[in-house]
Amino acid sequence: MIKVDRVRKSFGPLMVLKDVSFEVAAGETVCIIGPSGSGKSTILRCINHLESVNSGRITLNGELIAYREAGDRLVELPEKEIAMRIRNIGMVFQGFNLFPHMTVLQNLIEAPIGVKGEKREVAVERGMEYLTRVGLANKADAYPAQLSGGQKQRVAIARALNMEPQVILFDEPTSALDPENVNEVLQVMKQLAASGQTMIVVTHEMGFAREAADRVIFMDHGQIIESGSPNDVLSWPTNPRTKAFVGSVL
């Protein structure tokens, strides 16, 4: 479903991604782990075109996400066309990014109505279904300030789901949460993985990666160092750098 092919990304003189390549199949959960500054979040932001790439290709179902080919160059598409393509990619951020002046339900229906042109009643009905799924149907009329961190992140997940994306990107979704709120978010994510939702998850939660991932990718200094099953990467890593990282966090 997602193919990342030799992607490079730099910020000024700093090369953050160095020829990163991997694929994600439909229904697969891929966890990306690694130390801070290794490029994990940047590759997610490139997939969702929150950051442009310097070179390489990123495709969804074989179609370039935000560019067109012009010989051997990539040319960025018009903004409206990009929006049409990336609406199939949901994203859940570290900091929730909920609209504080909107209720929980209003946060869920804003994009389906505004971006997809759905009728309000359709977006509301499906939004309530997803709020029920994440255990927050009783918070539909609450405002984000009235919610705990874990509840805000579950609303953010429901909001992403309400766009019916083909793939959801999670950028360290539990890193801003108090310890007691982490588990409630991870349980929702495990249920999504079990249901066959395609997910790419940047995480420091090794237990989640071991239990829910189909594949684990270890990144360091902008490169993929090792990739394999959770058992292979987390229990029997072959690269010395992976061994050192896993040994420090498990």
Side-chain angles (χ1 to χ4, degrees):
M1 181 176 288
I2 292 280
K3 183 175 182 179
V4 177
D5 182 25
R6 295 170 294 169
V7 166
R8 289 190 167 208
K9 174 64 181 177
S10 62
F11 296 101
L14 179 64
M15 184 68 72
V16 180
L17 299 175
K18 308 169 185 175
D19 292 317
V20 172
S21 297
F22 64 92
E23 297 183 16
V24 180
E28 192 175 23
T29 295
V30 173
C31 283
I32 304 177
I33 64 171
S36 297
S38 59
K40 308 183 302 296
S41 294
T42 301
I43 193 61
L44 289 193
R45 293 177 66 84
C46 287
I47 291 172
N48 207 25
H49 199 60
L50 294 173
E51 300 286 352
S52 59
V53 301
N54 295 118
S55 64
R57 306 286 189 273
I58 302 177
T59 58
L60 174 66
N61 295 323
E63 184 177 52
L64 284 166
I65 288 172
Y67 301 91
R68 63 176 176 84
E69 303 269 9
D72 60 352
R73 296 186 305 114
L74 290 180
V75 177
E76 194 171 35
L77 294 169
E79 191 172 321
K80 282 188 177 181
E81 199 166 338
I82 292 174
M84 290 296 291
R85 294 192 184 187
I86 65 172
R87 69 181 186 176
N88 289 314
I89 303 173
M91 189 155 183
V92 177
F93 299 87
Q94 297 178 33
F96 322 130
N97 287 16
L98 300 177
F99 295 116
H101 62 289
M102 294 183 178
T103 66
V104 164
L105 184 58
Q106 287 170 338
N107 267 277
L108 263 67
I109 67 175
E110 178 74 8
I113 294 172
V115 177
K116 296 175 69 176
E118 284 188 351
K119 291 183 178 179
R120 179 182 174 85
E121 57 267 28
V122 173
V124 167
E125 181 178 0
R126 193 177 60 246
M128 288 304 302
E129 290 175 3
Y130 283 124
L131 284 177
T132 300
R133 187 170 174 179
V134 300
L136 291 173
N138 63 328
K139 298 293 186 180
D141 295 324
Y143 286 87
Q146 299 171 304
L147 306 178
S148 70
Q151 289 172 332
K152 290 176 186 177
Q153 196 60 292
R154 283 188 282 156
V155 170
I157 293 171
R159 178 179 61 180
L161 288 168
N162 207 32
M163 281 292 284
E164 299 191 299
Q166 295 179 28
V167 59
I168 302 181
L169 314 177
F170 291 84
D171 186 9
E172 299 189 21
T174 60
S175 65
L177 302 180
D178 293 331
E180 62 266 27
N181 291 324
V182 169
N183 190 58
E184 65 188 59
V185 174
L186 292 180
Q187 287 302 317
V188 170
M189 293 172 63
K190 288 176 185 177
Q191 292 167 11
L192 287 177
S195 73
Q197 172 68 55
T198 309
M199 306 196 303
I200 306 175
V201 184
V202 168
T203 185
H204 290 295
E205 300 290 342
M206 298 300 113
F208 171 82
R210 189 184 295 277
E211 292 179 38
D214 297 294
R215 190 154 40 93
V216 173
I217 292 171
F218 174 69
M219 290 185 68
D220 190 31
H221 290 97
Q223 296 178 300
I224 292 177
I225 305 299
E226 192 160 353
S227 176
S229 71
N231 189 55
D232 288 343
V233 175
L234 299 178
S235 297
W236 306 103
T238 58
N239 186 282
R241 182 66 187 95
T242 314
K243 288 180 181 179
F245 176 81
V246 171
S248 70
V249 297
L250 289 180

